[in-house]
Amino acid sequence: MRKNSVAGVAQARKRSAKVCVRCRRQKIKCSGTQSCFSCSNRNLSCIFDDMSQKVLVTRRQLAELKQRAAQLEKHTSDRHTSLGSASRERPPENTPDNYYTPPDGENPESGLVNPLVSGPPAFMSPGNGRTYYLGTSSNWSFARRVLSMVHEHVHKESLPTEALAFEGTAYDLGWDGSRTDPSPESPVIPTLDHAIFLINAVRFRCGRLYHLFDDSDFKESLYSFYSEGQRTRPRGLWYIHFLIIIAFGKMFTQVKYLKGKPAGISLFVKALQILPDHTLLYSSPMVSTEILCCIAIFYQSLDCRTASHNYVGQAMRMAMAHGMHTCMPVTDLGRDSVERCRKIWWTVYILDRHMTSIQGLPQSVDDHFIQTKLPSPVSSENITSLDMHIKLCRSIADINARVYATDGRLDRSFLLNIKGALSNLAGLADELNKSFPLHLEATDSGLSRVSAYLHLFYQQCVIVATRPLLFCFLKIRLESAETCVQSLQKSHNVRNLIKMCLDSALHSIRILHCLASQGLLETFLTFDLESLFISTVVLLMAPAIDRQLVVNDTWWHATADLIFNDMVEAGNQIARFRHSEIQQLDEKLNLLLPNQDQNGQSNPEVLQHSITKHPLSSHEAHTATPMEENSRADPFLGGETTRVTGCAFEPSLTSAEMMAMANSIELFDAEWVSTMMDNHAIW
């Protein structure tokens, strides 16, 4: 009997041995040692969660602990009362201006941070006395950070800024921004039929994505405007609105820019010159908010990002001051006004979320304060696209808040933040593919411009969420190529996240190629250019980190150059500057590839190949595309041959695949990233 009891005690003790996190999750036997046999055999981090281990205490010990906790709580409460509310709100004396108190539950000693958001704010100056802030999630600043880091590694000096383009330098508007003495001359106004044609072009290019004007009200004012003589025509807010819409129409319909200036620029400048003060704008909040949105989009297309973000902010505040973010009562305000306000609000919301992300700045409005409904559907297709557009904007805002927060960490929470962002994004994959199919493989059906835009936006969300890992590994690669490859091989899940980023970039270029082949590539609005730019940057980084990361290298290189050239030939100066920056980055990254002599000097033939590999002229672009099997004529390539499908890439991930990818990130992956970043001083 005694032997049985002793055996039972031995078994109980054996069952109560320590079990690591992975063995408990996998429900397998754990040796209880640090590291356990199972984790050691798989070369994985072995983590023991001591907080879940059960301990035995007596009732007396438990009572004493409760009494001590109550005394400590009372002492703390009395101390806070004596200090007073004023001292509680002030930081301690002699603390720096950037004093920060971590929120409850956060470990203030965790020092590893996202390299794109950590440390002091990053700035860059072109040498003219002005400085530019490099926003955390900004595509432009990400490329500049990568280019600067690689240039300093290769040339052992800071990146010169003379050959780089900065915001607002792509075009000469012929206006210094002053309204003190606007020109009394009126711009050339198109005839009525021409104006209707231009307005319809704006409706086709923007109508499914943004609300820029009210159809019925705008058309009524249009006919009234043309019914008057030139001298008696009105010059109020509608006239300003009309000038900007016509300027948009000229941008969309004129194939080539004249003398390097965008078409319709004189109409846009005139509208800005006569734009009244906000005291007058607030008297007509609906029209004024529509005007401010139009100005923001136009400025964004001129690469005046700060001005664009400023006008979106003004539109947001005007809309909120009018209560457009609330559930406006139809009985008091009328259905037409409420419906128009709903359309205006969601356009302001979309522009604010999208342009804030492009700038790399914090979001301005919390979603918890937004109560307005979607507008009543004119068609189910319109409301579905608006709903998806809003969901994607919320996703990019969620990514900015999780991955690019001011204390974005590269310890275990950093990778788990990426996991959370991808989990939220995964829920949109199936809905997007079902409601907005692309049919990239089809040869007998056209591509929907709206569907392509939404898919490009989705892929951009994936890239923005995962590209900090690429930046980290590039930094490790600059220290040691061997260490970089070994580090990537140690975590299959982290490597898969990087692969997901690159696959999204390849998928984006494929979509843009199909748009260009059907004449639907957007050469004025910058969203296609943004997608092309960020996709090309991350794809250029990959071979420098590990040459096995990217496949179809020749195809995407040639295709990206073709698309850049197509935009440049249409007169887009921003595309020309971005392409030049891409070529500089490509040249410097090629110097990191293992094609060097024994003295560490770059092979001149390899350098020459890296410079001339990507075509610059239209003729070179159309003849440099590689020949593939099963190819056929492609109108985008001017009769040359390449695969219509743009190489047989896998389709975009489904919701289940995205969720499986996110769920595969385990605690030991996060611990491994934390250790690796600490070892390489990436913060």
Side-chain angles (χ1 to χ4, degrees):
M1 184 73 178
R2 181 174 178 79
K3 291 182 179 180
N4 293 337
S5 63
V6 171
V9 171
Q11 291 177 1
R13 288 177 180 174
K14 187 175 182 179
R15 285 194 301 270
S16 63
K18 293 172 62 179
V19 181
C20 73
V21 173
R22 182 180 178 277
C23 290
R24 179 179 291 112
R25 186 183 295 111
Q26 300 293 332
K27 296 182 179 179
I28 59 178
K29 184 178 179 181
C30 182
S31 65
T33 59
Q34 182 73 36
S35 299
C36 75
F37 295 153
S38 178
C39 293
S40 296
N41 291 337
R42 291 168 174 79
N43 197 24
L44 300 173
S45 298
C46 188
I47 303 169
F48 287 89
D49 187 2
D50 295 332
M51 298 303 295
S52 63
Q53 185 177 0
K54 296 181 180 179
V55 295
L56 295 176
V57 296
T58 64
R59 291 182 180 274
R60 177 179 296 175
Q61 290 173 318
L62 183 62
E64 290 176 353
L65 290 173
K66 288 182 178 180
Q67 183 179 6
R68 290 175 59 187
Q71 292 174 350
L72 180 61
E73 182 177 356
K74 183 177 184 301
H75 173 72
T76 303
S77 176
D78 293 342
R79 186 170 181 268
H80 283 183
T81 302
S82 63
L83 290 175
S85 59
S87 62
R88 288 200 305 269
E89 294 177 0
R90 291 195 306 267
E93 294 183 2
N94 301 324
T95 55
D97 294 336
N98 60 348
Y99 176 83
Y100 167 70
T101 303
D104 295 339
E106 180 175 298
N107 180 10
E109 298 178 357
S110 180
L112 297 176
V113 294
N114 183 336
L116 298 175
V117 298
S118 63
F123 293 85
M124 181 174 284
S125 174
N128 59 0
R130 181 179 175 184
T131 57
Y132 294 85
Y133 169 58
L134 301 180
T136 55
S137 62
S138 166
N139 299 325
W140 174 79
S141 66
F142 178 80
R144 286 293 165 91
R145 288 170 184 258
V146 173
L147 182 60
S148 298
M149 183 172 66
V150 177
H151 180 91
E152 290 177 7
H153 174 80
V154 172
H155 300 287
K156 311 304 180 185
E157 63 180 9
S158 299
L159 175 69
T161 59
E162 292 78 9
L164 299 175
F166 286 83
E167 175 188 343
T169 60
Y171 302 103
D172 179 14
L173 304 186
W175 178 52
D176 61 0
S178 173
R179 293 192 178 95
T180 56
D181 187 22
S183 173
E185 298 180 1
S186 298
V188 177
I189 302 298
T191 60
L192 177 59
D193 55 346
H194 189 195
I196 293 175
F197 167 74
L198 297 175
I199 293 169
N200 287 335
V202 177
R203 186 182 289 110
F204 171 75
R205 301 291 279 272
C206 299
R208 290 278 302 278
L209 298 176
Y210 314 107
H211 169 85
L212 300 183
F213 58 91
D214 181 75
D215 281 331
S216 59
D217 183 67
F218 197 85
K219 184 181 293 186
E220 180 181 349
S221 299
L222 177 70
Y223 286 111
S224 175
F225 176 80
Y226 277 94
S227 65
E228 301 287 342
Q230 283 190 332
R231 294 184 178 181
T232 59
R233 285 175 176 174
R235 294 293 188 270
L237 286 178
W238 182 88
Y239 178 67
I240 297 173
H241 201 179
F242 168 74
L243 291 178
I244 301 175
I245 295 299
I246 296 301
F248 269 114
K250 286 183 173 290
M251 288 286 196
F252 292 141
T253 57
Q254 187 164 317
V255 179
K256 301 288 184 181
Y257 295 171
L258 298 177
K259 297 181 181 179
K261 288 189 176 181
I265 193 66
S266 60
L267 297 168
F268 177 69
V269 169
K270 184 64 179 181
L272 292 178
Q273 288 176 336
I274 62 177
L275 187 69
D277 184 74
H278 279 74
T279 53
L280 179 57
L281 292 178
Y282 278 112
S283 64
S284 302
M286 290 190 290
V287 175
S288 297
T289 308
E290 291 168 347
I291 291 173
L292 293 174
C293 288
C294 291
I295 295 174
I297 297 174
F298 209 102
Y299 261 135
Q300 178 69 27
S301 301
L302 298 176
D303 199 34
C304 299
R305 298 186 299 275
T306 302
S308 173
H309 186 260
N310 183 41
Y311 276 100
V312 168
Q314 294 180 36
M316 174 69 75
R317 282 152 183 78
M318 183 169 294
M320 293 184 70
H322 192 59
M324 295 184 192
H325 64 296
T326 67
C327 188
M328 305 177 76
V330 175
T331 53
D332 296 336
L333 302 176
R335 178 165 297 278
D336 291 341
S337 294
V338 170
E339 286 296 317
R340 184 174 178 180
C341 286
R342 289 174 179 174
K343 295 176 184 177
I344 293 172
W345 169 258
W346 288 118
T347 292
V348 173
Y349 177 90
I350 288 169
L351 291 175
D352 176 74
R353 290 295 188 266
H354 199 89
M355 294 182 180
T356 296
S357 176
I358 290 177
Q359 282 285 85
L361 301 175
Q363 301 297 329
S364 57
V365 178
D366 193 325
D367 280 352
H368 291 94
F369 295 98
I370 300 174
Q371 303 172 348
T372 187
K373 300 178 181 179
L374 293 176
S376 299
V378 178
S379 67
S380 58
E381 188 177 8
N382 287 340
I383 202 67
T384 303
S385 61
L386 175 60
D387 185 45
M388 177 56 66
H389 206 174
I390 294 171
K391 290 177 180 178
L392 289 172
C393 286
R394 286 174 174 162
S395 293
I396 198 69
D398 176 67
I399 292 168
N400 291 342
R402 288 175 181 266
V403 182
Y404 294 89
T406 54
D407 60 339
R409 302 191 181 284
L410 274 181
D411 58 3
R412 68 178 64 178
S413 66
F414 169 71
L415 202 60
L416 297 180
N417 284 340
I418 294 180
K419 173 181 179 177
L422 292 178
S423 297
N424 290 343
L425 191 61
L428 300 179
D430 287 349
E431 182 181 352
L432 181 64
N433 291 326
K434 180 180 179 181
S435 300
F436 304 94
L438 287 179
H439 304 300
L440 296 181
E441 307 292 344
T443 59
D444 57 348
S445 60
L447 187 63
S448 167
R449 179 63 254 195
V450 174
S451 296
Y453 170 83
L454 295 175
H455 278 269
L456 289 172
F457 197 174
Y458 177 85
Q459 301 300 337
Q460 180 177 339
C461 291
V462 177
I463 294 172
V464 172
T466 53
R467 70 183 177 191
L469 290 173
L470 268 173
F471 188 89
C472 294
F473 278 97
L474 181 61
K475 191 174 189 300
I476 296 174
R477 165 61 183 84
L478 297 182
E479 297 175 5
S480 169
E482 183 179 356
T483 302
C484 180
V485 174
Q486 291 176 351
S487 299
L488 270 177
Q489 292 174 346
K490 287 183 179 179
S491 177
H492 182 69
N493 289 329
V494 172
R495 188 182 181 92
N496 281 343
L497 285 177
I498 294 177
K499 200 73 173 67
M500 178 189 291
C501 177
L502 302 176
D503 287 344
S504 290
L506 287 169
H507 197 64
S508 297
I509 291 180
R510 186 185 180 199
I511 294 172
L512 292 168
H513 168 261
C514 291
L515 287 172
S517 66
Q518 297 180 25
L520 294 175
L521 189 67
E522 182 55 68
T523 57
F524 172 56
L525 300 179
T526 60
F527 301 122
D528 281 0
L529 178 58
E530 286 287 332
S531 181
L532 176 64
F533 183 61
I534 63 171
S535 299
T536 308
V537 169
V538 297
L539 288 170
L540 285 175
M541 295 170 63
I545 296 172
D546 185 349
R547 301 194 70 169
Q548 298 180 356
L549 281 174
V550 178
V551 295
N552 301 314
D553 177 80
T554 306
W555 176 85
W556 77 256
H557 254 304
T559 303
D561 275 320
L562 285 166
I563 300 171
F564 269 118
N565 287 327
D566 199 49
M567 292 181 173
V568 172
E569 288 180 359
N572 192 323
Q573 296 297 308
I574 309 170
R576 183 169 67 86
F577 290 138
R578 295 287 180 92
H579 195 195
S580 173
E581 193 166 325
I582 287 290
Q583 290 171 324
Q584 292 184 56
L585 179 61
D586 188 23
E587 174 187 338
K588 300 180 192 309
L589 287 172
N590 269 284
L591 297 177
L592 302 178
L593 298 180
N595 290 304
Q596 297 180 337
D597 60 26
Q598 295 181 353
N599 297 324
Q601 299 298 321
S602 301
N603 188 331
E605 294 181 1
V606 175
L607 178 59
Q608 180 65 22
H609 173 69
S610 69
I611 297 175
T612 60
K613 177 173 59 176
H614 305 303
L616 294 176
S617 68
S618 175
H619 174 72
E620 292 170 337
H622 290 295
T623 57
T625 306
M627 300 289 289
E628 301 280 356
E629 295 180 1
N630 302 321
S631 60
R632 58 179 294 174
D634 188 336
F636 174 49
L637 303 177
E640 296 296 329
T641 55
T642 189
R643 281 191 188 176
V644 174
T645 58
C647 290
F649 295 128
E650 294 295 326
S652 183
L653 295 178
T654 64
S655 292
E657 291 169 335
M658 281 280 290
M659 188 61 71
M661 177 71 74
N663 291 336
S664 69
I665 302 173
E666 298 186 359
L667 187 59
F668 62 82
D669 291 310
E671 291 285 355
W672 173 80
V673 169
S674 174
T675 303
M676 183 185 62
M677 300 308 170
D678 192 14
N679 292 339
H680 294 277
I682 301 179
W683 61 73

